[in-house]
Amino acid sequence: MINPNKVFNIDDYKEIVLRRLPYIIIPFVVIFVGAVLYAFLAPKTYEAKTLILVTPQRVPTDFVKPTVTSRVTERLASIEQEIKSRTSLEQIIRDNNLYPKQTKAMPMEDVVGMMRNDINVQIQRTPESRDAGGYFTIAYSSSDPRTAATITNRLADLFIEGNLRIREQQAKGTTEFLKDELDSAKAKLEEQEKLLTDFKRKHTGELPEQRDTNLQMLTQLQQIYQRTGENLRSAQDRKLIIQKQLTDLEFPVTSVQAERGQQSTGRLPSSSSNAEHGGIQEPQLYELKNQLADLRTKYTEKHPDIVRIKKRIREMESNQDLDFRNNPRYRELNSQMQAVNVEITRLQAEEAKLKGEIDKYSGRIERTATREQDMSSLTREYHSTKETYESLLKKSQEAEQAENLERRQKGEQFRVIDAAAVPVSPAKPNRERIMLMGLMLGLGSGLGLAFVREQMDRSFHDPEDVEVTFGIKILASIPRIVEKTDKAA
């Protein structure tokens, strides 16, 4: 084009079209005819499609809480990867004799790739849910319409089976995990129960809950110990009284009375040898027995002083011819003395036993604080483990219910709404679309080629082109004369 600044009108465009008509018609015809030939001669591909609805759990979640928390999109992606794997697709190809020519001429990996491209899974999102939920479609393309429908339904079955298997596996895995954790918690709880039981058995009587009982027992024992001491002192006093009575019975005449007797008789100790000997020994024997009674209140029978005095008494008594032992009063007092001695022995043993019991309960009360700390630590750990065990037990029971729910197919499921039917018309090629695209492409190519050719043209088509090229002013121009043919001719 010589004059790029030229302003064109409708007549100019008509002139350009008429002038470049071959450049427009030839590309248009070639491209459009090629598109028509491709639309009618290209291999036909039929696509079958099925619609699958994602149905929610049939049992309300308030009754059975599901353990499968993964989203539908995640499970669909996992199932799709599993179905599109080489193992799965190769089995489908062999079972249905798909791609027979390609299987003979190409490696199986390439054939599987072709089938993978022919499968189309589209997840539809519902407006009221963030998750996929709702429904999704599965489509398969094949040159045979019946094969397309059969494979599509087979893929739908695989998706449904895969969803049930994945949900059941997840529920079973959750149940097994919680069962293992429950067994571990139960073993730990039993171990802590044994430790707590052994601790209570080992420190029976020193436990915090027995503090009040120990205090009551200690108070009662102290009271009994005090009464026993009083009874012991009373028995010892009775013993002294009986010993005094026995001494008085054995020696009714004291030394003072002997002196008075001597003075009243006016006799000097010139009487018979026996009387004189007896008058001298009786006060001594009386005095020795008083000493013996006094020593018995302080010492045992094995004390050297008591043994020595008892020996001297026996020697003096052997020289006397006294018949007081046959006195009934003496025998009665002697029996009372024996009874008192038995009572004193019993009270002393009881007092010693009570003293030991008091020391035992006092020690228990003193050790209660230490046992309380140890008991608190064991009890706190035991209760913590018990709470964990009860929580795991509840979760395990819920997981078992959820597993049974999935096993009975009462959980979230995929349900076929529209099964794949045998397609009537091919999905590819789309003749109308291809011819329309060929028409538009041919027209655009022709116009584009005409525009390029017009831009490359350097010839003069009007006076303005001459003025621009030579820089001269055109005074007049002769228009094109077109002769009209005679209609009659």
Side-chain angles (χ1 to χ4, degrees):
M1 181 178 290
I2 296 176
N3 185 12
N5 297 325
K6 181 179 179 181
V7 178
F8 293 90
N9 52 32
I10 189 66
D11 295 330
D12 296 330
Y13 286 116
K14 290 180 179 180
E15 182 183 355
I16 294 174
V17 168
L18 293 175
R19 186 169 59 246
R20 307 300 180 188
L21 190 60
Y23 293 94
I24 297 175
I25 293 177
I26 294 175
F28 171 76
V29 172
V30 172
I31 294 175
F32 182 71
V33 171
V36 171
L37 292 176
Y38 175 79
F40 284 91
L41 298 178
K44 297 179 181 180
T45 302
Y46 296 88
E47 183 182 67
K49 183 180 295 186
T50 181
L51 178 64
I52 299 178
L53 180 67
V54 181
T55 60
Q57 179 176 306
R58 299 182 184 180
V59 180
T61 56
D62 294 338
F63 294 95
V64 179
K65 186 177 181 181
T67 56
V68 181
T69 57
S70 60
R71 291 191 172 187
V72 178
T73 51
E74 298 174 357
R75 276 182 283 124
L76 279 176
S78 177
I79 297 171
E80 183 178 0
Q81 292 298 324
E82 183 179 353
I83 292 176
K84 287 185 176 181
S85 64
R86 175 174 177 174
T87 303
S88 178
L89 293 182
E90 185 175 351
Q91 185 66 34
I92 295 175
I93 291 172
R94 296 185 185 278
D95 292 343
N96 296 274
N97 194 24
L98 302 178
Y99 309 100
K101 296 181 180 179
Q102 291 83 348
T103 303
K104 295 178 181 179
M106 301 169 59
M108 181 57 67
E109 184 68 28
D110 296 338
V111 178
V112 170
M114 292 177 58
M115 184 175 181
R116 191 178 291 124
N117 294 330
D118 291 337
I119 298 174
N120 184 21
V121 179
Q122 292 184 350
I123 303 173
Q124 306 295 331
R125 295 182 180 272
T126 55
E128 56 275 354
S129 176
R130 293 181 303 171
D131 201 355
Y135 60 93
F136 64 96
T137 59
I138 300 175
Y140 176 72
S141 300
S142 175
S143 58
D144 183 20
R146 295 186 178 275
T147 301
T150 302
I151 300 302
T152 302
N153 290 325
R154 173 71 182 278
L155 293 174
D157 294 339
L158 291 176
F159 268 89
I160 294 174
E161 294 173 1
N163 178 63
L164 293 175
R165 183 178 63 257
I166 289 177
R167 290 186 64 88
E168 186 174 348
Q169 288 176 352
Q170 290 180 354
K172 185 177 180 181
T174 303
T175 303
E176 292 177 351
F177 171 77
L178 289 175
K179 185 177 180 181
D180 293 340
E181 292 294 317
L182 183 64
D183 293 340
S184 177
K186 183 179 180 180
K188 186 177 180 181
L189 182 64
E190 291 176 350
E191 181 181 358
Q192 292 181 355
E193 285 179 348
K194 185 177 181 300
L195 291 175
L196 194 59
T197 303
D198 293 342
F199 180 85
K200 289 182 178 181
R201 185 184 300 111
K202 182 179 179 181
H203 302 288
T204 301
E206 301 176 1
L207 302 177
E209 58 267 21
Q210 298 174 331
R211 181 189 289 111
D212 295 339
T213 304
N214 290 334
L215 289 173
Q216 293 177 1
M217 289 297 299
L218 180 61
T219 303
Q220 294 177 2
L221 288 172
Q222 288 175 345
Q223 293 174 357
I224 297 173
Y225 180 79
Q226 184 178 0
R227 289 196 298 269
T228 303
E230 293 175 354
N231 294 335
L232 178 60
R233 288 188 293 273
S234 177
Q236 291 174 348
D237 292 341
R238 290 198 307 273
K239 181 179 179 181
L240 291 176
I241 294 172
I242 295 172
Q243 287 177 346
K244 178 66 174 174
Q245 291 176 355
L246 285 172
T247 303
D248 292 342
L249 185 61
E250 292 176 2
F251 304 100
V253 181
T254 61
S255 60
V256 178
Q257 292 174 342
E259 292 178 357
R260 290 177 180 177
Q262 290 178 0
Q263 292 177 359
S264 61
T265 57
R267 295 181 181 178
L268 295 173
S270 61
S271 59
S272 64
S273 59
N274 291 336
E276 181 181 358
H277 184 72
I280 295 172
Q281 288 185 348
E282 285 181 0
Q284 293 179 355
L285 184 60
Y286 177 76
E287 184 65 27
L288 287 174
K289 288 190 175 183
N290 286 336
Q291 292 180 7
L292 179 61
D294 185 51
L295 290 174
R296 279 176 173 172
T297 61
K298 301 178 181 179
Y299 308 110
T300 63
E301 294 294 328
K302 294 182 180 181
H303 195 273
D305 293 340
I306 293 178
V307 173
R308 178 175 55 79
I309 293 175
K310 287 172 67 176
K311 183 179 180 182
R312 289 189 62 188
I313 291 173
R314 284 193 301 269
E315 291 176 353
M316 294 178 69
E317 287 179 345
S318 63
N319 296 326
Q320 295 180 0
D321 187 16
L322 301 174
D323 295 332
F324 65 89
R325 296 183 184 276
N326 296 323
N327 190 339
R329 177 60 178 168
Y330 177 82
R331 289 196 299 270
E332 181 183 357
L333 292 174
N334 194 26
S335 299
Q336 292 179 3
M337 176 62 73
Q338 292 177 0
V340 169
N341 287 333
V342 172
E343 185 178 2
I344 290 174
T345 302
R346 181 184 63 79
L347 291 174
Q348 287 176 346
E350 185 176 352
E351 187 179 39
K353 182 179 179 181
L354 289 172
K355 184 65 169 62
E357 291 292 323
I358 289 174
D359 293 339
K360 182 177 71 173
Y361 279 94
S362 298
R364 287 182 178 181
I365 294 173
E366 291 177 358
R367 291 188 293 271
T368 299
T370 303
R371 305 296 177 234
E372 185 175 9
Q373 293 179 355
D374 298 339
M375 187 77 175
S376 176
S377 177
L378 289 174
T379 304
R380 182 170 55 252
E381 188 173 358
Y382 169 77
H383 286 305
S384 176
T385 305
K386 186 177 180 181
E387 291 177 358
T388 303
Y389 173 78
E390 291 176 351
S391 176
L392 288 173
L393 179 61
K394 182 179 179 182
K395 291 180 180 179
S396 178
Q397 293 173 348
E398 293 177 350
E400 289 179 357
Q401 291 178 348
E403 183 181 356
N404 294 332
L405 186 75
E406 297 298 335
R407 189 179 295 111
R408 297 176 183 177
Q409 299 183 6
K410 300 294 184 180
E412 184 182 81
Q413 295 182 6
F414 295 164
R415 184 164 60 90
V416 176
I417 299 299
D418 291 331
V422 178
V424 177
S425 59
K428 296 178 182 179
N430 190 339
R431 294 177 179 176
E432 292 78 5
R433 184 177 179 182
I434 292 175
M435 287 188 292
L436 180 61
M437 291 180 62
L439 179 63
M440 295 177 63
L441 182 61
L443 185 59
S445 299
L447 293 176
L449 183 61
F451 175 77
V452 172
R453 181 66 185 87
E454 184 66 21
Q455 292 293 325
M456 296 175 62
D457 188 10
R458 297 298 178 185
S459 60
F460 301 109
H461 297 285
D462 52 33
E464 286 81 3
D465 294 340
V466 176
E467 291 178 353
V468 171
T469 302
F470 297 104
I472 58 177
K473 187 67 176 174
I474 301 300
L475 298 178
S477 62
I478 300 173
R480 178 178 300 177
I481 299 173
V482 178
E483 295 182 355
K484 295 183 179 180
T485 58
D486 191 0
K487 294 181 180 182

